[in-house]
Amino acid sequence: MKLSKELLTDSSTLQLPEKVLQFGTGVLLRGLCDYFIDKANKQGIFNGRIVVVKSTDSGGADAFAEQDNLYTICVRGLEKGVATEENIISSAISRVLSAQSQWNEVLETAQDPNISVVVSNTTEVGLQYVEESIRQSPPASFPAKLTAWLYERFQNKQAGVVIIPTELIVGNGDILKGLVLKVAAFNELPANFIEWVKTENSFCNSLVDRIVPGKPKGDALTEVQEKLGYKDSLLAVAETYRLWAIEGDDKVEEVLTFAQADEGVKIAKNIEQFRELKLRMLNGTHTLMCGMAFLSGFQTVKEALADDMTEKFITNLMMSEIAPAIPYKIDAKVAQRYGRDVLDRFRNPYLDHQWISITLQYTMKMQMRNIPLLLNYYKEFSTVPQYFTRGFAAYILFMKAVKEENGKYFGEKEGELYPIQCDSAKYFYEVWQNHKPNEVVDAVLGNEQLWGSDLRKLKGFAENVTTHLSNMMAIGVREVAAALNVYA
């Protein structure tokens, strides 16, 4: 049996008016943003459905039509340490339009007075300026498509809308607004339209945070669909944790009433706190631990958290060194509460998050996420962060390439090669050639091009990293981590 509207326990949501225009059909939008709207509709709060615009004609739209635009969200994870499972049939989407073949129908939605929200996730590449006419059918770039849609709305004397890009770029709302104004200027659109864009529409910076792996494969999919009792080609698995932080004022809050349905939607005048917590405590911990965990023999994040010693190491690193060093004023209780949520996410038994995949662009991640923490830790405490130094030593060891082949670099663990997928792989390969560990540490920490400053000037940092690196090479990475009094 296939998923269809007959399986809905309450079909009244299918009669709700369209209130949201969404650019993108990806699992993050469906598993997070549309999840919130669906939940609100079922509580009788937002009472509006979503028109989705698909950028290409290659599949997708037909799958929605065949399932009455319904799909299943399988929520799996830990909440306050307790395993949770929930299967939700989402009826938030009303229809899916192809930008390539149904552009006129997309523009017609601009004439609908009920539409009050525009959401997008076109990947970071989507927020790029392309010098083009908005009168194409359709324009190639997302900013030009949005400009064309807004101009159609303006010409039909409709109200402005709340626009929320969810692309993973800092200041995504401000960036999109600037791109729309640039496209409008290139197309020589009237001054009163440009003024309308600026004053009657709210472009909101936003941050999305939920792991949505999408549809399982093979036996895992078969098992889920047998439990559900129907087949769903659009099924998506999502972790329990969810966050959609939206920067906006009271006017924005009045429009986005779906925020009332779930505490995972946060509307605030400034969302920097949410960004810093995610960047430092979630992403920063991942970055400092990925090399250490992988070289200690753990394949997945949940495996490392199942190990008592490693769990304590990660907890102490996050709570005692990262949280107090965040370079943004955050209440300690808020950081601790977020940290507990992060640990639950790491422990999630339903997700196979590979440590080796987290090492992708290892150096760039270390520079962006962790070096500001290190510098601020010294500023606040003037002492060596013991967990951090071990994580950094493991990073340098992971970057020790033993083989280069066609521009690709490989490290070695227990006689097996692993890929070093980092733009700095060549640099590390050359540094490690015929140099002792202390010389490698001296060169790496002194590389201001990598870190923006000379890390050798941090009292005791170079000496500690050198000691840990030498010990890791002599007795093993896990043994060096275990030697720290993680039970203190």
Side-chain angles (χ1 to χ4, degrees):
M1 180 169 61
K2 291 200 73 171
L3 177 57
S4 63
K5 59 187 176 185
E6 285 74 26
L7 291 170
L8 280 178
T9 53
D10 180 8
S11 60
S12 62
T13 54
L14 300 178
Q15 311 306 317
L16 295 173
E18 295 173 339
K19 286 189 176 181
V20 180
L21 180 70
Q22 175 176 298
F23 287 87
T25 60
V27 291
L28 179 64
L29 284 174
R30 292 195 285 117
L32 182 66
C33 305
D34 301 354
Y35 163 90
F36 289 127
I37 291 171
D38 178 69
K39 187 172 182 179
N41 287 343
K42 288 169 180 172
Q43 293 179 20
I45 296 176
F46 182 66
N47 297 322
R49 300 182 80 199
I50 305 163
V51 186
V52 175
V53 179
K54 193 178 188 320
S55 59
T56 67
D57 272 335
S58 56
D62 289 343
F64 281 93
E66 289 168 6
Q67 297 184 177
D68 298 324
N69 297 302
L70 305 174
Y71 63 94
T72 311
I73 305 171
C74 299
V75 180
R76 304 283 188 269
L78 297 177
E79 202 152 24
K80 295 179 181 175
V82 179
T84 61
E85 289 190 26
E86 185 182 11
N87 301 314
I88 302 158
I89 297 178
S90 175
S91 56
I93 294 174
S94 58
R95 53 188 169 134
V96 177
L97 300 175
S98 165
Q100 296 299 319
S101 58
Q102 296 173 290
W103 183 241
N104 286 337
E105 290 176 58
V106 174
L107 289 180
E108 283 173 10
T109 65
Q111 303 169 23
D112 186 346
N114 289 312
I115 298 283
S116 58
V117 181
V118 175
V119 178
S120 73
N121 194 307
T122 58
T123 76
E124 293 86 317
V125 178
L127 294 190
Q128 300 286 340
Y129 175 66
V130 176
E131 204 169 77
E132 61 176 324
S133 169
I134 65 166
R135 292 169 179 84
Q136 299 175 87
S137 185
S141 69
F142 166 59
K145 288 185 179 77
L146 179 59
T147 306
W149 188 88
L150 288 170
Y151 190 52
E152 180 75 14
R153 191 165 181 84
F154 170 76
Q155 288 181 304
N156 282 274
K157 297 181 170 54
Q158 297 297 340
V161 292
V162 174
I163 300 163
I164 318 169
T166 64
E167 291 80 5
L168 296 176
I169 298 174
V170 176
N172 45 23
D174 296 331
I175 290 170
L176 181 55
K177 182 177 183 178
L179 292 170
V180 166
L181 293 173
K182 200 171 179 180
V183 171
F186 174 74
N187 282 268
E188 299 180 342
L189 300 180
N192 56 346
F193 166 69
I194 291 173
E195 184 64 20
W196 178 84
V197 169
K198 291 179 179 178
T199 60
E200 299 301 317
N201 296 270
S202 299
F203 289 79
C204 302
N205 296 322
S206 83
L207 172 72
V208 289
D209 188 8
R210 187 177 216 179
I211 299 171
V212 188
K215 188 168 67 173
K217 296 179 181 178
D219 292 342
L221 177 61
T222 302
E223 183 181 339
V224 171
Q225 295 192 143
E226 283 178 354
K227 284 183 180 178
L228 293 172
Y230 58 83
K231 291 184 178 180
D232 179 358
S233 62
L234 298 168
L235 183 147
V237 174
E239 68 169 332
T240 305
Y241 182 86
R242 64 243 176 234
L243 173 69
W244 191 6
I246 302 167
E247 208 164 78
D249 53 19
D250 294 342
K251 179 184 172 184
V252 168
E253 199 163 353
E254 285 176 17
V255 175
L256 306 183
T257 54
F258 57 78
Q260 300 165 20
D262 192 293
E263 61 181 13
V265 184
K266 310 284 189 185
I267 301 175
K269 289 184 172 64
N270 187 315
I271 63 170
E272 196 60 28
Q273 171 176 297
F274 303 106
R275 192 182 311 284
E276 281 292 315
L277 284 169
K278 178 181 184 291
L279 182 65
R280 310 304 177 187
M281 295 187 71
L282 175 71
N283 302 135
T285 302
H286 265 159
T287 301
L288 273 171
M289 284 305 305
C290 59
M292 176 176 282
F294 178 78
L295 295 175
S296 295
F298 299 108
Q299 298 301 312
T300 64
V301 176
K302 66 182 178 185
E303 285 176 7
L305 268 291
D307 178 75
D308 190 53
M309 185 281 294
T310 309
E311 182 195 37
K312 286 182 170 61
F313 189 100
I314 291 173
T315 301
N316 288 338
L317 167 67
M318 185 193 300
M319 299 301 202
S320 68
E321 292 186 354
I322 290 180
I326 294 174
Y328 185 86
K329 190 170 179 58
I330 295 174
D331 184 274
K333 290 181 180 177
V334 172
Q336 293 291 316
R337 189 163 57 244
Y338 184 81
R340 288 193 294 271
D341 286 340
V342 168
L343 289 170
D344 270 351
R345 298 174 74 183
F346 285 0
R347 293 187 190 100
N348 191 339
Y350 302 97
L351 298 180
D352 292 319
H353 202 172
Q354 302 287 322
W355 284 115
I356 192 68
S357 67
I358 299 172
T359 65
L360 181 69
Q361 296 299 357
Y362 205 163
T363 303
M364 181 191 72
K365 290 175 179 177
M366 188 69 77
Q367 190 274 326
M368 289 177 58
R369 300 169 176 179
N370 298 104
I371 298 307
L373 287 167
L374 176 65
L375 298 176
N376 205 48
Y377 188 92
Y378 267 91
K379 181 180 176 183
E380 294 290 329
F381 305 107
S382 301
T383 187
V384 179
Q386 291 299 324
Y387 298 91
F388 192 112
T389 53
R390 284 162 171 80
F392 200 89
Y395 153 70
I396 294 177
L397 183 56
F398 178 91
M399 295 296 294
K400 183 177 187 286
V402 297
K403 179 182 178 182
E404 182 271 332
E405 189 175 87
N406 299 322
K408 295 181 180 180
Y409 296 85
F410 301 87
E412 185 177 356
K413 177 174 73 77
E414 297 177 356
E416 293 190 5
L417 297 178
Y418 60 83
I420 301 176
Q421 297 175 289
C422 175
D423 287 345
S424 297
K426 181 181 179 182
Y427 164 76
F428 276 87
Y429 180 64
E430 293 171 351
V431 168
W432 270 106
Q433 297 296 309
N434 304 314
H435 286 96
K436 297 176 182 177
N438 66 305
E439 295 171 334
V440 173
V441 171
D442 186 72
V444 171
L445 296 190
N447 190 331
E448 295 189 39
Q449 191 174 351
L450 284 183
W451 316 119
S453 61
D454 187 344
L455 301 183
R456 295 173 300 183
K457 294 179 180 178
L458 300 174
K459 187 177 179 181
F461 186 66
E463 292 85 348
N464 272 266
V465 171
T466 299
T467 298
H468 300 323
L469 178 60
S470 297
N471 288 339
M472 286 174 179
M473 296 176 72
I475 63 173
V477 174
R478 178 177 167 76
E479 287 70 20
V480 172
L484 187 62
N485 185 11
V486 297
Y487 298 93

